[in-house]
Structures are given as structure tokens and as C-alpha cells.
Amino acid sequence: QVQLVESGGGLVQAGGSLRLSCAASGSIFSINTMGWYRQAPGNQRDLVAAITSGGTTNYADSVKGRFTISRDNAKNTVYLQMNSLKPEDTAVYYCMLRVVVNTYWGQGTQVTVSS
């Protein structure tokens, strides 16, 4: 069984920074993709950033240049450094792990950016 535990959300003023972390545990194949999605009230869950076990990254256009995704394969942990935060970044952020055809989700962590 795979578990994802997120941490690092909170309240920050516009222009500030936050760092999210997500640790995966359980039976995890070494070749996988980890990432972050977010969902604001009334909206669908959208990709923020993803990173493969080989280090290839993918970002939503809205966060390019402001957010950086990284991972520690030895710890099965993915990070999201969020800088220059904007009120429109406010959402619940979900950690994601994809292994072949299986996708696992964390419980979500709230990020609120005040103007």
C-alpha cells in the first residue's frame, strides 16, 4: 500500500514563499513520476508541476519561473518551492505519485495567499 504525506502549506502574503514536501512510503517502483496538483473551490484539479524519477520536469504555464519542483529519490520525497506567490495560487495542493498505470494521491494541504 502506498501512502503520501504532505506538509508545508499555510497562509502567506502575496510575494511570499512556501515550500511543500511530500513523502511517499510503501511498495514503490523506482521508475515513477511525482508531482503536485491544485484545486481551488469550484475548479477542477489541475497540474502544477511534475518530475520523473529521471529528473524531467513539467510545469503549468501559470507557475513557470516562480515554482520549482525537485525530488530526493533515496527518500521518495518530492518538493515544491513556491516563490512570488499570488492570490490566484490559493488552493488545496495535492501530491501525486504515478507508477505505470496507477496514480496515488495525498490528502491535500491548503495554501492561502493573501493580497
Side-chain angles (χ1 to χ4, degrees):
Q1 184 140 359
V2 174
Q3 281 193 318
L4 301 175
V5 178
E6 301 141 335
S7 60
L11 172 65
V12 65
Q13 288 188 332
S17 298
L18 283 174
R19 188 189 195 217
L20 305 183
S21 300
C22 173
S25 61
S27 180
I28 302 169
F29 187 52
S30 59
I31 300 175
N32 58 65
T33 297
M34 298 187 77
W36 295 92
Y37 282 67
R38 66 186 180 188
Q39 187 169 20
N43 291 354
Q44 64 183 19
R45 190 176 297 188
D46 292 324
L47 173 71
V48 176
I51 183 168
T52 68
S53 49
T56 301
T57 59
N58 182 34
Y59 293 93
D61 288 343
S62 60
V63 306
K64 284 180 181 177
R66 300 189 297 122
F67 291 10
T68 303
I69 191 169
S70 60
R71 64 185 288 167
D72 184 334
N73 288 335
K75 296 181 179 179
N76 287 321
T77 299
V78 64
Y79 307 96
L80 185 68
Q81 178 66 43
M82 305 185 292
N83 298 329
S84 302
L85 282 160
K86 304 175 182 180
E88 51 263 44
D89 294 318
T90 295
V92 177
Y93 284 67
Y94 295 91
C95 178
M96 179 278 299
L97 167 68
R98 184 174 298 119
V99 181
V100 191
V101 298
N102 297 313
T103 301
Y104 305 92
W105 297 96
Q107 79 282 1
T109 185
Q110 177 71 44
V111 171
T112 302
V113 184
S114 63
S115 57

